[in-house]
Structure formats: structure tokens, C-alpha cells
Amino acid sequence: MTTSITKKQFIINTAADLFQERGYSATSIRDLAAKVGLEPSSIYSHIRSKEDLLSEICMSCADRFSKGMNDIYFQDISPRKKMRALIQLHLDIAFDIPASVTVFNDEWRFLHEPVLSDFLEARKEYEKKIKKILTDGKKVGKFEFQNIDIVFSIIIKMLSWSHSAIKKFNKEALEAELTSFITKH
Amino acid sequence: MTTSITKKQFIINTAADLFQERGYSATSIRDLAAKVGLEPSSIYSHIRSKEDLLSEICMSCADRFSKGMNDIYFQDISPRKKMRALIQLHLDIAFDIPASVTVFNDEWRFLHEPVLSDFLEARKEYEKKIKKILTDGKKVGKFEFQNIDIVFSIIIKMLSWSHSAIKKFNKEALEAELTSFITKH
DNA sequence: CCTACCGATCGGTAGG
DNA sequence: CCTACCGATCGGTAGG
């Protein structure tokens, strides 16, 4: 049983690497099977479909972001400190599971119902919390901006920086520049 | 002749819409044919291959950015004014040909040689010029940052904002917030 | 620009 | 987990 779960996770992680490298659509089950050392049909002993792999990657990533956000959001600290913690959260996850984060960011659109709705709902919840932190910060005069939706989108874009860019830099330097961009603002 | 060129361009533009919507790999020539009102095989009277469509989209977009960059880069104006002009350039192109810009940003990795090398070279040239503007601005004390490569990557990410985000906002508001992020820095 | 068609590859199943 | 295989779909060509 334990072995089975581990192998399934190994297949999912390998799928994340391939989806990141070639994209979900351009990756075949045969590619995946070759990389994990199985015959193509044997993959289906561990998963039900190709899309299942994408669902697992996207939803586990979404869960991790949601949990991390809640830990920050409900703390009694300033909006500025929350934004800093949020930057760290994104960097921690991106450095830990870079392939999954890239797939989560770029390939989620290939999800179908009912998983798609779950995904979009989780994301919307996450976005609402970021926006709340930003508007709270503006109220107490710590952030300056005019259009919350635009600033939110810019920040999300900076935070969802893909693996390929992130792996070239050192985490502390990245954190310093991002913090400067986001919280000096 | 003129009709032929126009129809080819119509096919390319329709392809850009589909590639943006579903991704290059997940878009079939049959999808494209249906959308332009032709039989699948008739598409090949206008193009040589599916990848030709991607090449045309990516390279024409690259050309437009390169030309716009040169117009800005060789002017005798301050680094700060160059960055503002660069923001305008990106917004102008993104609002004008949103689908092509998204494909240019997200689907170029499906290009093969020899086009891929041309593409990467054009991009590298473009990036060198942005970095030069940033370092020039730092020298005269107008920009503040520590790591040029990180700041460059953050700015490129903000500028290459995809169509889906951009179409929700008004161009002037976007320009204002982006300018605030980039040149106050 | 169409009809007719090609070989290759796809996701997935049957049965052991 | 494998062998053997399925129907569907792919990019692309021949020939008119």
C-alpha cells in the first residue's frame, strides 16, 4: 500500500516535469511511461486518465497555496507584513516544487468539470484575500495605488513567476527585489 | 495576388486566435479549417505546415517589438523616458494584436530550427537593450535596484502580461500603474 | 480549393 | 504490470 502510494506520487511528479517541459497537450502517456520505466498501459494501474494527473498536480498545488495563505491572512499583523509573508510563501513553494507550480500556472486551462470549478473557486478565494490585504494596506496609507484590480494583477503576475526564471536566481536576492517592488509601492 | 496575401493573413490571424485559446499543440488544422470555412487540406494551399503558422505569428510579433525598441533605444532621451516609451510600446502592441502577443509569449517553445534560433536571437537582442536602459538609469541615479537580472525579469514579466488580463482594463489606467511600478522604483 | 486517403500516434481497454 | 489491441484523430499528400 505504502509502496503503491509512493509509486503513484512518483508518476505524478514525473508527469509534472514533462508537462512543464513540453506542455500538457504535447505530452503523451507513452512519454511518461518511458520516463518512469513502465509500459504505457501500466500507467493506468495508478491513475484513471491523463487528465487525472493534471488534476492532482493543480489541486495539490492549489491546496498548498490556500493553506499558506490562510496561515498568513488570519494572523494579527500589518498588511505590509502580510505581503512580505506572501512573497515568501510563493518563493518557498516555487523553489520546492517548481515543475508543479509552472503546470499549476500555465496548464490548468486543460482541466474539465467538475475539477475545473473546484480549481477556479480556490483561486478566486485566494485572490479575494490578496485584494483584501492590498485594500487594507491602502486604507492605513501603507500602499499607494489607484486601481486595485490592476495592481492585484501585476502583483499576481510577479508572484507566479515561472520555474524557468526562478531557478536562475538565489532565493534571498529574489525576495529582496520582489519585496522592494511590492511593498515600497 | 493581393487576395491571396489577404487570405493567408486571415488564416494566420485565425490561427493566432485558436493558439491563444487552446494552445498550439491542442489546436488542429481541422479546427482551423472549420473556423476559416475551408476543408482541412485546403489550408495547405496557403501555408506549408502547422508550424509555419506559429513561425509567422512569433516572428512578425518579434519584428514589431524589435522595431519599436530601436525607435526608442536610439533616441537621445533619459533612461526614465525610455522606460515609459517601452511600457507604451508593449501596451500598444498588446492592445492591437492581443492573440498574437499571447502566442508569441507562451507558445514560441514549440518552434524548431532554424526559426527557433532567429527567434531567440531577436529576443536576446531585445533583452540586452532593456538591460542597458536599466543600468544607464541606475548609473544616473534614477532607478534603484541591486540585481539587474532579477529586476529585468520582473519587468519583462509585467510587460508581457497576457491578453486575457489586459483586455479587462483601460489602457491609460494600466499605463499609469505600470509606470508607477517600474519608474518609481 | 475539394475528394480521397496515408501512416503515425493518440488515450485508453481487455484479459491475464 | 505486461501483451495485444481498439477506434479516433493527427499533420500532411496525391491528384484533379
Side-chain angles (χ1 to χ4, degrees):
Chain A
M1 271 297 137
T2 319
T3 343
S4 170
I5 291 169
T6 299
K7 183 117 195 189
K8 182 180 178 180
Q9 197 54 55
F10 173 66
I11 291 172
I12 293 171
N13 293 345
T14 308
D17 290 342
L18 286 172
F19 292 168
Q20 182 212 7
E21 192 184 315
R22 318 177 187 187
Y24 174 74
S25 292
T27 303
S28 72
I29 293 294
R30 283 160 178 85
D31 294 334
L32 176 60
K35 195 155 184 181
V36 298
L38 288 177
E39 293 302 315
S41 65
S42 304
I43 296 289
Y44 292 96
S45 302
H46 301 91
I47 55 145
R48 279 169 304 175
S49 66
K50 184 184 168 185
E51 197 178 321
D52 252 26
L53 290 164
L54 185 61
S55 303
E56 293 261 20
I57 294 163
C58 289
M59 294 313 294
S60 73
C61 213
D63 282 348
R64 191 153 163 192
F65 276 110
S66 293
K67 285 191 180 107
M69 168 61 98
N70 283 340
D71 288 345
I72 294 163
Y73 189 77
F74 295 110
Q75 273 182 56
D76 190 23
I77 53 176
S78 71
R80 177 170 257 138
K81 277 187 178 155
K82 284 183 182 176
M83 281 308 297
R84 285 188 192 212
L86 215 54
I87 293 168
Q88 278 178 5
L89 175 69
H90 277 255
L91 289 175
D92 285 346
I93 298 176
F95 273 81
D96 190 28
I97 46 168
S100 290
V101 172
T102 305
V103 173
F104 166 83
N105 279 321
D106 300 341
E107 311 291 330
W108 64 266
R109 61 180 161 149
F110 295 106
L111 291 172
H112 289 95
E113 297 296 354
V115 179
L116 182 57
S117 284
D118 292 344
F119 180 86
L120 292 174
E121 204 178 315
R123 198 178 65 170
K124 194 160 195 172
E125 197 55 42
Y126 192 84
E127 295 180 347
K128 263 169 69 178
K129 283 171 182 156
I130 296 188
K131 284 188 189 178
K132 182 69 163 60
I133 295 171
L134 288 172
T135 47
D136 284 352
K138 187 179 183 185
K139 268 181 209 151
V140 296
K142 291 297 184 186
F143 302 146
E144 275 172 54
F145 55 82
Q146 290 165 33
N147 186 315
I148 171 70
D149 293 309
I150 294 177
V151 166
F152 160 78
S153 296
I154 292 174
I155 288 174
I156 263 289
K157 200 80 194 166
M158 295 192 330
L159 289 179
S160 68
W161 206 347
S162 76
H163 164 57
S164 56
I166 257 177
K167 69 179 172 187
K168 293 187 299 186
F169 306 115
N170 143 312
K171 202 200 262 185
E172 285 67 34
L174 255 174
E175 193 189 323
E177 297 289 5
L178 274 174
T179 303
S180 162
F181 259 100
I182 292 176
T183 67
K184 257 195 197 165
H185 193 66
Chain B
M1 273 296 138
T2 318
T3 345
S4 169
I5 290 169
T6 299
K7 184 118 194 188
K8 182 180 179 180
Q9 197 54 54
F10 173 66
I11 291 172
I12 293 171
N13 293 345
T14 308
D17 290 342
L18 286 172
F19 292 168
Q20 181 212 6
E21 192 184 314
R22 316 176 187 188
Y24 173 73
S25 292
T27 302
S28 71
I29 293 293
R30 282 158 178 85
D31 294 334
L32 176 60
K35 196 155 185 182
V36 299
L38 289 177
E39 292 301 317
S41 64
S42 304
I43 295 289
Y44 292 96
S45 301
H46 300 91
I47 56 145
R48 277 169 305 174
S49 67
K50 184 183 167 186
E51 198 178 320
D52 253 25
L53 291 164
L54 185 61
S55 302
E56 293 260 18
I57 294 163
C58 289
M59 293 313 294
S60 73
C61 214
D63 282 347
R64 192 154 161 191
F65 276 110
S66 292
K67 286 192 180 107
M69 168 60 99
N70 284 340
D71 288 344
I72 293 164
Y73 188 76
F74 294 111
Q75 273 181 56
D76 190 23
I77 54 177
S78 72
R80 178 171 254 137
K81 278 188 177 155
K82 285 182 182 177
M83 280 309 297
R84 286 188 192 212
L86 215 53
I87 293 169
Q88 279 179 4
L89 175 69
H90 277 255
L91 289 175
D92 285 346
I93 298 176
F95 273 80
D96 189 28
I97 46 169
S100 291
V101 172
T102 306
V103 173
F104 165 83
N105 279 321
D106 299 342
E107 311 291 330
W108 64 267
R109 60 180 164 150
F110 295 106
L111 291 172
H112 289 95
E113 297 297 353
V115 179
L116 181 58
S117 283
D118 292 344
F119 180 86
L120 292 175
E121 202 178 315
R123 198 178 66 170
K124 194 158 195 174
E125 196 54 42
Y126 192 84
E127 294 181 348
K128 263 169 69 178
K129 283 170 182 158
I130 297 188
K131 284 189 188 177
K132 181 70 162 61
I133 295 172
L134 288 172
T135 47
D136 284 352
K138 189 179 181 186
K139 268 181 208 151
V140 296
K142 291 297 183 187
F143 301 146
E144 273 172 53
F145 56 82
Q146 289 164 36
N147 186 315
I148 172 70
D149 294 308
I150 293 177
V151 166
F152 160 77
S153 297
I154 293 174
I155 288 175
I156 263 288
K157 201 79 194 169
M158 297 191 327
L159 289 179
S160 69
W161 207 346
S162 75
H163 164 57
S164 56
I166 257 177
K167 69 179 173 187
K168 294 187 298 185
F169 306 114
N170 142 314
K171 203 201 263 186
E172 285 67 34
L174 255 174
E175 192 188 323
E177 298 289 4
L178 274 175
T179 303
S180 163
F181 259 99
I182 292 176
T183 68
K184 258 194 195 165
H185 193 66

